[in-house]
Amino acid sequence: QLTFTSTANGAQIEYRGEVVQVQSASGGALTSTDIFGAGFAGPAHIPVDFGDLGGQTPGSSDGLVGQITVDSGAANPGLTDAEIRFTPDGGGTVSATADDQGRFDLELPDGTFPGVLDITKHYSTASGKIDALDALQVLRISVGLDPTWGPATAENLIAADVNRDGTVNALDALAILQVAVGQPTAHDPEWVFLDENADLSGITKDNVTYQTGVDIVAVDGVINVDMTSILLGNLEAA
């Protein structure tokens, strides 16, 4: 979007009627490579620290995207501050918040209890995982194009539907862009945790439907299960 022109003693950069004159220290002409290097891989801006905005917690862990093991008897990297919920068949839900090592204790009694395990984890602005390039990828998908790396996977489409309305559209791109620049958004991104073996074959950009959580059997208070973790709004790692 910039118009670059080399001049006798530097360069001129124009954008929508605004003109910047760059003077060379040596007095010679400057090329775009002299000023911008190899150029831009995507939208770029000067790094800005927006601090703790929108009620999100920069100090929380970054989390893990992809396969994650949930083990009630060990540390769980990526689950710091996550809420762990277990709903036994025919019973009420019990929950616990993981500590800074991702450890948690649901205080389940001895015995065998089938039920559903679900996890909620909010996004940390300090991680910087969501940026303007994610918004660009979502916008491409919303108009029927592939992301820049190729066809979108089901996991990509789940990550793209950040407002969770079942479709990938420009509103998702807007919400992601708001997060990337530190502005408040009505749809704060979070991790969703799915059954590792969930059938996602029917997901399209116009039909993003899936179930969070996983069916498990807790034995004598012990829970150990593999899940798939997806950060809504973060397409490049999905």
Side-chain angles (χ1 to χ4, degrees), residues 9-97:
N9 58 355
Q12 176 176 291
I13 304 170
E14 298 180 53
Y15 175 71
R16 292 188 176 182
E18 298 293 332
V19 179
V20 176
Q21 298 287 348
V22 182
Q23 302 294 323
S24 169
S26 63
L30 293 172
T31 67
S32 61
T33 302
D34 292 329
I35 295 179
F36 299 123
F40 304 105
H45 58 81
I46 298 172
V48 178
D49 182 6
F50 290 98
D52 184 2
L53 294 176
Q56 298 170 346
T57 309
S60 67
S61 69
D62 295 347
L64 296 176
V65 178
Q67 184 178 359
I68 182 170
T69 297
V70 181
D71 187 347
S72 61
N76 296 274
L79 287 188
T80 297
D81 297 330
E83 182 183 0
I84 318 297
R85 300 185 304 279
F86 177 61
T87 305
D89 292 349
T93 300
V94 293
S95 64
T97 301

Side-chain angles (χ1 to χ4, degrees), residues 199-224:
D199 181 6
L200 306 179
S201 60
I203 291 180
T204 68
K205 80 177 187 67
D206 298 314
N207 180 38
V208 185
T209 57
Y210 57 94
Q211 293 290 328
T212 60
V214 60
D215 292 327
I216 65 164
V217 177
V219 179
D220 295 336
V222 176
I223 291 173
N224 187 290

